[in-house]
C-alpha cells in the first residue's frame, strides 16, 4: 500500500513540474502583462475600488453586497498560500520566489479585473431568481464553447478539493498539533464539523462569517508581521536585497540553507503567487458574479482590490521569513514546513499562539469560501439538489482527510489542479479582451461608473 502511495506521489510531483514549466508560466504572466498594457495600467485606479467596496445598491442585480462578495473572495484567497505557501515557495525556490510572487500579484490585478468583469457581464439568473456566474458562464455565453466550460468545471471541482480543502485543513492540523500537542485526527474532525455547519447555510451564511472574520484576522496577522519586522529591523534591508538578488541569480542564498536559481524562483514564486491571489485561475469571479453592482466594471475594480491585499500580506510574510532566517539561521535547518511558525516564535510568549490563530482563521474561511466555488461548478454540470448535498458531505469528509495526509502530496495536488484551471480560463480571457476594453472605456475611461447596466 505504501509503495502505491509513493508511486502516486512521485507521478504527481512529475506532472506538477511539467505543468508548471515555461509554457504555463509564460501564458499566465503574459496574460497579466497583456491586460496591464491593454487596460492602460488599470492598477492605478485602486482608489476607485476602495470607494466602491462599501457602496450597496439594492436596486441592482445580485445576491450579496459588494463588500460581502469581496469578503468571501478574500476569505478564499487569504489563506495558507499567504502564510505556509510563501514559506514553501522560499524553501523550494529560494528567497527570490517572494519577488516573483509579488510581481505575479501586481500584474495579476489586471487579469483579476478582467475575469471578474466578464463574470458579471455573462452571469445568468435561475428560475429562483438567484444569480450565477464565473468562467464557465463566460466561456459558454461569451465564447459559445460549452465543452471548454465543462472542462473548467470538472477541473475546478477537483481543484476545490485540493486548494480550498486539503491544503487548508492540513495547515490547521499541522500548526494546532505543534502548538497544543493535539492529535491531527482530532483537529481534522473538529475542523470538518465546524466547516460543515457553515457550508450547510449556503452563500448567505458563508458571507456572514467571512465579513466578520476576514478584516479581524487580517489585522491580527499584519500586526504580528510588523512586530517581527521591528524585532529583526537590523536585517530587513539585507532581506530585501537578498530577495531581489535571488530572483535573478543562480547562486544559493542564506548560507545555502535555502536553495535558489532563476527558474526555481520564478516557478515557485508564480505558482504560489497564483495560489495566494488566484488571478487567472477563475475561482474568485464565481463569487464576484453574485455581487450587487451597477455594472461589470465596478465589480472588476472591487475584485482586484482583493489581489492588492494578498500582495501586501504575501510580501510581509516573505520579508518576515527572510529577515528572520538571516537573524536566526538555525530556524531553516529544522522542519521547513513550519518555517513561518519558527519565525513567529521570535515574538515572546504570544508569537506561536498568534500565528496559530491566524492560520486557523485564514484556513477555515478559505475552506468555506472555496466550497462555494466547487458547488457552483457542480451546479453548472449537474442541476440536482441531491448531488449538491452529496458534494457537501464529500467536501466535509475530505476536510478530515486533508488534515492527516502528507503535506507534500497535498501541495503538489493543489498546484497541479490550479494549473489545469488556469488554461481554459486564461484562453477565454484572451479571446474576449475586446469586450473587456469596450466595457472599461464605456464606464471607467468615460467617467460613467454610476451608470446602471440593464443586463
Amino acid at each position: 500500500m505504501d509503495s502505491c502511495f509513493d508511486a502516486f506521489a512521485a507521478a504527481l510531483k512529475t506532472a506538477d513540474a511539467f505543468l508548471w514549466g515555461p509554457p504555463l508560466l509564460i501564458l499566465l504572466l503574459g496574460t497579466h502583462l497583456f491586460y496591464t498594457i491593454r487596460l492602460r495600467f488599470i492598477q492605478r485606479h485602486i482608489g476607485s475600488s476602495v470607494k466602491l467596496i462599501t457602496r450597496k445598491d439594492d436596486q441592482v442585480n445580485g445576491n450579496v453586497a459588494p463588500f460581502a462578495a469581496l469578503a468571501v473572495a478574500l476569505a478564499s484567497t487569504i489563506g495558507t498560500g499567504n502564510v505556509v505557501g510563501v514559506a514553501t515557495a522560499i524553501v523550494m525556490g529560494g528567497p527570490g520566489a517572494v519577488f516573483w510572487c509579488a510581481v505575479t500579484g501586481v500584474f495579476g490585478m489586471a487579469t483579476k479585473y478582467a475575469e471578474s468583469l466578464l463574470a458579471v457581464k455573462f452571469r445568468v439568473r435561475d428560475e429562483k431568481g438567484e444569480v450565477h456566474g464565473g468562467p464557465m458562464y463566460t466561456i459558454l455565453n461569451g465564447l459559445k464553447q460549452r465543452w471548454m466550460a465543462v472542462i473548467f468545471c470538472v477541473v475546478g471541482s477537483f481543484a476545490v478539493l485540493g486548494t480550498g480543502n486539503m491544503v487548508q485543513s492540513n495547515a490547521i492540523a499541522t500548526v494546532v498539533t505543534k502548538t497544543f500537542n493535539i492529535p491531527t485526527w482530532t483537529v481534522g474532525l473538529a475542523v470538518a464539523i465546524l466547516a460543515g455547519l457553515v457550508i450547510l447555510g449556503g452563500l448567505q451564511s458563508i458571507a456572514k462569517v467571512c465579513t466578520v472574520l476576514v478584516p479581524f484576522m487580517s489585522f491580527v496577522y499584519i500586526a504580528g508581521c510588523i512586530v517581527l519586522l521591528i524585532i529583526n529591523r537590523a536585517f530587513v534591508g539585507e532581506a530585501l536585497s537578498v530577495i531581489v538578488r535571488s530572483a535573478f541569480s543562480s547562486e544559493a542564498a542564506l548560507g545555502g540553507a535555502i536553495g535558489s536559481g532563476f527558474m526555481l524562483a520564478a516557478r515557485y514564486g508564480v505558482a504560489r503567487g497564483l495560489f495566494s491571489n488566484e488571478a487567472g485561475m477563475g475561482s474568485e469571479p464565481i463569487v464576484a458574479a453574485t455581487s450587487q453592482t451597477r455594472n461589470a466594471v465596478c465589480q472588476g475594480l472591487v475584485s482586484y482590490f482583493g489581489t492588492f491585499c494578498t500582495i501586501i500580506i504575501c510580501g510581509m510574510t516573505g520579508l518576515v521569513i527572510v529577515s528572520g532566517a538571516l537573524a536566526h539561521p538555525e530556524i531553516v535547518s529544522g522542519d521547513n514546513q513550519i518555517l513561518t511558525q519558527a519565525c513567529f516564535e521570535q515574538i515572546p510568549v504570544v508569537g506561536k499562539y498568534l500565528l496559530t490563530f491566524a492560520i486557523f482563521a485564514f484556513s477555515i474561511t478559505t475552506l468555506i469560501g472555496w466550497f462555494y466555488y466547487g458547488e457552483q461548478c457542480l451546479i453548472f454540470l449537474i442541476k440536482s439538489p441531491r448531488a449538491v448535498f452529496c458534494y457537501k458531505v464529500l467536501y466535509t469528509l475530505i476536510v478530515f482527510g486533508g488534515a492527516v495526509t502528507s503535506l507534500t502530496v497535498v501541495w503538489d495536488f493543489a498546484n497541479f489542479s490550479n494549473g489545469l484551471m488556469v488554461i481554459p480560463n486564461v484562453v477565454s480571457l484572451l479571446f474576449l479582451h475586446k469586450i473587456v476594453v469596450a466595457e472599461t472605456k464605456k464606464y471607467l475611461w468615460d467617467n460613467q461608473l454610476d451608470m446602471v447596466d440593464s443586463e
Side-chain angles (χ1 to χ4, degrees), residues 68-93:
L70 178 64
V72 175
L74 282 174
S76 305
T77 53
I78 302 179
T80 54
N82 304 92
V83 184
V84 180
V86 174
T88 305
I90 293 173
V91 170
M92 303 301 293

Side-chain angles (χ1 to χ4, degrees), residues 171-404:
I172 293 174
T174 299
V175 71
V176 171
T177 296
K178 185 175 187 297
T179 303
F180 299 106
N181 198 29
I182 300 174
T184 54
W185 72 267
T186 304
V187 179
L189 181 61
V191 173
I193 293 173
L194 181 60
L197 291 174
V198 178
I199 286 169
L200 288 173
L203 177 60
Q204 296 297 332
S205 175
I206 293 171
K208 287 179 182 178
V209 172
C210 293
T211 51
V212 173
L213 273 181
V214 168
F216 179 66
M217 72 186 188
S218 299
F219 173 79
V220 170
Y221 182 72
I222 290 175
C225 287
I226 292 173
V227 171
L228 281 169
L229 292 177
I230 293 173
I231 291 173
N232 296 319
R233 58 190 177 277
F235 297 90
V236 171
E238 184 181 354
L240 284 169
S241 178
V242 168
I243 288 170
V244 175
R245 289 201 317 268
S246 300
F248 303 96
S249 172
S250 59
E251 298 178 1
L254 300 183
I258 297 179
S260 187
F262 169 72
M263 279 307 300
L264 281 178
R267 174 191 165 192
Y268 284 101
V270 173
R272 291 298 184 264
L274 172 65
F275 188 87
S276 66
N277 62 56
E278 300 177 24
M281 194 189 305
S283 50
E284 192 273 343
I286 295 175
V287 69
T290 68
S291 176
Q292 295 167 344
T293 182
R294 287 179 174 266
N295 53 70
V297 170
C298 286
Q299 186 54 42
L301 292 172
V302 170
S303 294
Y304 90 169
F305 181 78
T307 302
F308 176 76
C309 293
T310 63
I311 296 169
I312 294 175
I313 293 178
C314 281
M316 294 191 73
T317 300
L319 196 56
V320 162
I321 292 173
V322 177
S323 62
L326 288 170
H328 304 279
E330 68 276 5
I331 69 175
V332 299
S333 61
D335 187 351
N336 288 324
Q337 295 178 358
I338 49 176
L339 180 57
T340 310
Q341 187 168 6
C343 289
F344 266 77
E345 287 177 354
Q346 295 173 39
I347 300 178
V349 184
V350 301
K352 65 179 181 180
Y353 300 110
L354 187 153
L355 184 66
T356 298
F357 166 77
I359 290 181
F360 175 82
F362 284 169
S363 299
I364 197 68
T365 53
T366 301
L367 266 171
I368 60 180
W370 265 80
F371 166 77
Y372 181 74
Y373 300 160
E375 180 187 49
Q376 291 303 301
C377 286
L378 184 65
I379 288 174
F380 182 88
L381 295 170
I382 310 172
K383 293 178 173 60
S384 167
R386 181 175 297 180
V388 172
F389 177 78
C390 290
Y391 188 77
K392 289 181 179 181
V393 174
L394 175 64
Y395 191 85
T396 305
L397 292 175
I398 292 179
V399 170
F400 175 79
V404 296

